[in-house]
Amino acid sequence: MNSLQRHLCDSPVYLFMPDHMHLVLQGTSAQSDLRQCVVSFKQASGFWFRREMAGIRWQKDFYDHILRKDEDLVKHLRYVLDNPVRKGLVTDWRAYPFKGSTVFDLDSW
């Protein structure tokens, strides 16, 4: 069982950059624990990094931002998806391979 399932979360978008990642989370129930989902993910992937890719480590903490009901979710998702374009890695976010969603079919966007 992965961190998202265990902590009752979905990820409308996730995106791995060369030196960081973006992860948008949303709870799927009143019992969802977004913070613990991130902590669990970082712990499991950090263990994998130590075993498979010596020298790769997560930073100690993470930056979070809670979207309010009046904020446009799609606008934030597009901001995340456009990150590799802003960094000059691709000219269109659709061409960037290190992205996904547990909610949306990004190929249909």
Side-chain angles (χ1 to χ4, degrees):
M1 179 179 290
N2 69 35
S3 297
L4 291 170
Q5 294 167 327
R6 185 172 30 258
H7 300 290
L8 306 173
C9 299
D10 274 333
S11 179
V13 75
Y14 55 87
L15 185 125
F16 294 90
M17 294 291 289
D19 61 350
H20 67 282
M21 78 170 290
H22 294 270
L23 176 65
V24 178
L25 293 176
Q26 66 186 105
T28 59
S29 81
Q31 290 74 39
S32 297
D33 189 337
L34 279 66
R35 182 186 180 287
Q36 194 56 44
C37 180
V38 173
V39 169
S40 175
F41 170 77
K42 285 180 67 174
Q43 181 180 25
S45 58
F47 177 76
W48 184 88
F49 284 145
R50 276 191 298 280
R51 191 179 62 226
E52 302 293 330
M53 302 178 77
I56 303 292
R57 303 218 191 287
W58 288 115
Q59 68 184 33
K60 181 180 179 216
D61 295 312
F62 53 89
Y63 172 79
D64 60 353
H65 172 77
I66 298 172
L67 295 180
R68 294 176 176 78
K69 288 184 181 191
D70 65 337
E71 292 185 81
D72 184 359
L73 175 62
V74 174
K75 176 182 168 190
H76 286 275
L77 299 181
R78 284 300 305 268
Y79 177 83
V80 169
L81 291 169
D82 280 335
N83 202 275
V85 175
R86 286 189 302 277
K87 295 294 182 181
L89 300 174
V90 292
T91 57
D92 186 305
W93 67 265
R94 290 168 194 83
Y96 193 70
F98 308 110
K99 67 181 179 312
S101 173
T102 65
V103 178
F104 301 110
D105 173 13
L106 297 178
D107 290 334
S108 68
W109 279 29

